[in-house]
Amino acid sequence: MTPFYAWVTSLAHSGVLPADFQYPFLVRGFLCVLLLTPMLGGLSHLVVARRMAFFSAALGQAALTGVSLGLLIGEPLNSPYAGMFGFCLLATLGMVYVKRRSSLPPDTLIGVFLALSLGLGLVLLVAVTRQFNVHQVEAILFGSLLTVTDSDLLLLLAVGVVVMALLAREYNHLLLDSLSPPLAGVEGSDSRFLDYFFAFLLALSIVVSLKIIGALLVEALVVVPAAASRNVARSARGYLVWSVAVAFVAGAGGLIVSNRFLVPTGAAVVLGASLAFFVTLIASALGRGSLARLMRGRHAAGVAVVLVGAVLLASRMWIGALLVAAGAYFFKFGWPTSSQRPTTND
Amino acid sequence: MSAVATFSTTPTPSTSSSILDVSNLTVRIDGQTLLSDVSLSIARGTLHAIVGPNGAGKSTLVNAILGQIRFEGRILAHWRRNGRIGYVPQSFAVDRTLPVTVADFLALTRQRRPVCFGVGHDARRRIGAMLVGVGLAGFEQRQLSVLSGGELRRVLLAHALDPLPELLILDEPATGLDQTASQWLEDVLLAARDRDDVTVLMVSHDHERVKRHGDRVTVLDTRVVADGAPADALA
């Protein structure tokens, strides 16, 4: 890989590529984004269609517990994949099995698993921090470009190809099963197999994404691109294209912001995806001619203005502070109106 | 629990006059008996209606026939042609924010290529013809979520009728349809039976319509209350 990095660095020095690409770790990060976004984008729209957003959050926490477990049994800090994948797989099988057997609502059951793995993870994390520097563990929690190695990239490539190939093979069955399990059953789909199959692919993808996105935020990248995509997509194809595009823009943008402003990569990527969600929400409202109605919803308007302000602030444009304050005001009190509501005299 | 759902898959065409034989079917869920010792036979090429009050186990019977729930007893199918079951479910709740078009939905089982990569030329042509057949020409790019109840039911019927099934199962297909749409549905079902030799098994609440066009009726109330010609069974 060294000649490749040298070539990219030379392109950055000669001005063909942005100056950020003179650092090999950033090139690795960009390659990660190129590999991650089709995989997570492809998965994300099915995650939302199959209502597995909360399931993804639980898997992220399980991955954290798995990392701690792996480190405690002697795995290297840089690649605790066995513990991570092992525990995630266990949690996946457990959650799907109990969900299919129990009459309790799925979110309640997943909440129980989430609490269990989070509690266990925190206990193990305390034990881990006795052996490792807490800042080393932080990279796993929030994601860090510095810890991504060429081996991680190769693993990501291999897993990405396998996940996308398997997903493409079963996509139509998965979508039909999301729309109507009885109809999918009549057409020959095995709902139980699809449940386990998709959860397994999700677990695999989350494990390999963890080093760059972080355990606490990986769930967001599995959900937010699809949520943003839903605002603007009008067909299954558009849904996929927009999900991948949002994940890519958020990933690449997050990398640059992370590098320039020294913030955790995962956080920057997820903020980028969230920003994309609000942008598509506004675009969708504009498309429906209902922007005014949307903006009258004080919470949506407030959050959107705060986010725009935060981006400006991050770019050291201090007017952003004013927007943040204004957004907070809208969130709390609503849009200022020129006329008073009519009052009645009792 | 013993679940014996045997669908004949032998290449030799069956000579049986019935397409489906249900014997001693019992369904229990969470300790509650939803169906008890139900036996019935569905004759080939007929319109067989299942009627009964709410909670009688009509949809449970359909689910058992489709192999979607556990049961005790035996369900034996005798196929002569493709052995395909077309199914129109009672409810089809579409997530209003899911961007899936009518063409996407119908292509899910009509092309191998993932629908998220687009609907292929052949599938598009076939879907166009299917939609013309149910009076929804030009609806390919409409999103499922914006369809009315009647339009959605037509899309589901188009899906169930292509390729032509040997057995068509409809769970309360006329629910929510106006008079014109109900009449249209009736015409389609009668054409499927008379012209295409499709056996129709239909759960219905409309006794008058069943009396007019049904060949046989089974009245259910957890168990079989009556089974025979409509005039006798619904008397």
Side-chain angles (χ1 to χ4, degrees):
Chain A
M1 292 292 277
T2 311
F4 174 74
Y5 293 133
W7 176 63
V8 175
T9 305
S10 68
L11 289 179
H13 282 306
S14 60
V16 176
L17 289 174
D20 302 272
F21 285 96
Q22 61 188 298
Y23 307 111
F25 76 88
L26 202 80
V27 177
R28 268 195 295 272
F30 191 74
L31 290 175
C32 274
V33 168
L34 280 180
L35 294 170
L36 269 178
T37 49
M39 182 174 74
L40 292 184
L43 277 170
S44 77
H45 76 289
L46 281 172
V47 165
V48 176
R50 295 179 73 78
R51 298 170 188 201
M52 290 176 74
F54 197 30
F55 184 92
S56 313
L59 272 184
Q61 304 303 330
L64 170 66
T65 311
V67 169
S68 309
L69 208 59
L71 294 179
L72 281 177
I73 60 174
E75 277 197 277
L77 183 64
N78 221 17
S79 55
Y81 285 115
M84 202 157 44
F85 184 65
F87 193 79
C88 271
L89 189 61
L90 202 66
T92 299
L93 293 176
M95 281 192 283
V96 177
Y97 181 82
V98 175
K99 189 180 79 151
R100 293 190 63 86
R101 296 270 163 170
S102 172
S103 53
L104 281 173
D107 58 341
T108 306
L109 286 169
I110 293 167
V112 172
F113 273 88
L114 181 72
L116 174 70
S117 65
L118 189 60
L120 187 61
L122 287 175
V123 169
L124 294 175
L125 205 58
V126 170
V128 165
T129 50
R130 288 186 193 131
Q131 295 176 25
F132 298 93
N133 183 334
V134 71
H135 294 298
Q136 290 174 298
V137 180
E138 226 171 59
I140 295 160
L141 289 174
F142 303 115
S144 168
L145 281 180
L146 296 171
T147 60
V148 177
T149 62
D150 289 342
S151 312
D152 295 327
L153 264 181
L154 287 176
L155 182 69
L156 186 56
L157 176 66
V159 169
V161 168
V162 170
V163 166
M164 283 189 281
L166 290 174
L167 201 60
R169 190 172 175 271
E170 295 294 336
Y171 180 88
N172 289 354
H173 292 291
L174 283 164
L175 188 56
L176 184 58
D177 187 57
S178 314
L179 286 167
S180 171
L183 211 52
V186 172
E187 296 296 340
S189 299
D190 182 344
S191 172
R192 185 173 57 177
F193 164 74
L194 291 176
D195 265 356
Y196 282 106
F197 173 79
F198 188 69
F200 173 76
L201 291 190
L202 193 57
L204 200 59
S205 310
I206 283 178
V207 166
V208 293
S209 314
L210 214 69
K211 283 187 89 172
I212 191 161
I213 308 295
L216 296 181
L217 298 165
V218 69
E219 168 258 345
L221 204 55
V222 175
V223 174
V224 181
S229 171
R230 275 196 178 201
N231 291 329
V232 282
R234 295 290 173 263
S235 66
R237 186 185 206 166
Y239 196 17
L240 173 74
V241 170
W242 275 102
S243 295
V244 173
V246 167
F248 178 76
V249 170
L255 271 186
I256 292 167
V257 169
S258 163
N259 185 44
R260 295 202 177 165
F261 300 101
L262 301 177
V263 292
T265 319
V269 170
V270 169
L271 271 180
S274 305
L275 183 65
F277 172 79
F278 286 104
V279 169
T280 54
L281 188 68
I282 291 168
S284 161
L286 277 172
R288 292 196 307 267
S290 57
L291 181 64
R293 196 175 60 210
L294 173 78
M295 294 309 280
R296 276 199 295 272
R298 61 189 173 95
H299 293 113
V303 171
V305 174
V306 165
L307 274 174
V308 172
V311 170
L312 291 178
L313 268 180
S315 310
R316 298 177 189 180
M317 295 165 74
W318 307 116
I319 195 169
L322 195 62
L323 284 179
V324 170
Y329 177 87
F330 297 151
F331 189 88
K332 178 75 178 162
F333 302 108
W335 202 260
T337 52
S338 54
S339 59
Q340 293 289 321
R341 282 171 183 275
T343 54
T344 53
N345 295 320
D346 294 324
Chain B
M1 200 284 308
S2 65
V4 187
T6 315
F7 293 104
S8 168
T9 54
T10 52
T12 315
S14 169
T15 54
S16 172
S17 62
S18 64
I19 194 168
L20 204 65
D21 287 316
V22 177
S23 314
N24 309 112
L25 183 81
T26 297
V27 177
R28 292 190 188 91
I29 294 178
D30 294 335
Q32 194 184 351
T33 303
L34 303 182
L35 281 178
S36 174
D37 200 27
V38 169
S39 296
L40 61 100
S41 184
I42 295 161
R44 190 177 301 280
T46 60
L47 196 157
H48 191 126
I50 308 286
V51 301
N54 291 333
K58 303 184 294 295
S59 296
T60 306
L61 175 63
V62 166
N63 286 334
I65 290 171
L66 294 173
Q68 295 182 350
I69 53 171
R70 295 175 173 220
F71 56 86
E72 295 166 30
R74 194 170 73 157
I75 299 173
L76 191 62
H78 313 282
W79 302 127
R80 276 187 190 166
R81 299 201 307 261
N82 55 9
R84 181 173 187 267
I85 296 178
Y87 173 53
V88 178
Q90 183 181 11
S91 62
F92 189 84
V94 183
D95 181 347
R96 294 198 71 80
T97 63
L98 194 63
V100 174
T101 62
V102 171
D104 290 335
F105 170 70
L106 292 174
L108 285 172
T109 50
R110 286 167 184 86
Q111 67 174 37
R112 285 185 66 83
R113 181 166 73 163
V115 162
C116 59
F117 294 162
V119 178
H121 182 68
D122 290 346
R124 195 171 288 280
R125 209 169 41 189
R126 185 172 163 191
I127 287 164
M130 286 162 64
L131 289 174
V132 168
V134 292
L136 293 180
F139 271 58
E140 287 91 335
Q141 295 312 313
R142 296 268 181 104
Q143 290 193 40
L144 279 184
S145 56
V146 302
L147 297 183
S148 69
E151 288 167 345
L152 191 57
R153 208 154 280 272
R154 284 177 188 233
V155 170
L156 291 172
L157 191 63
H159 171 74
L161 286 172
D162 180 88
L164 210 58
E166 206 166 339
L167 175 63
L168 176 63
I169 299 179
L170 307 101
D171 195 349
E172 299 190 28
T175 306
L177 297 186
D178 59 24
Q179 191 63 30
T180 314
S182 296
Q183 184 58 50
W184 170 84
L185 177 70
E186 192 177 299
D187 294 342
V188 169
L189 297 183
L190 293 177
R193 180 193 64 180
D194 301 335
R195 189 187 62 205
D196 302 321
D197 196 28
V198 173
T199 307
V200 180
L201 175 63
M202 180 173 72
V203 172
S204 178
H205 279 298
D206 189 343
H207 289 202
E208 288 312 310
R209 221 174 270 270
V210 167
K211 272 184 188 168
R212 272 205 310 274
H213 301 293
D215 297 304
R216 196 174 179 90
V217 177
T218 301
V219 183
L220 268 188
D221 194 359
T222 316
R223 57 183 67 241
V224 176
V225 175
D227 184 44
D232 303 330
L234 294 173

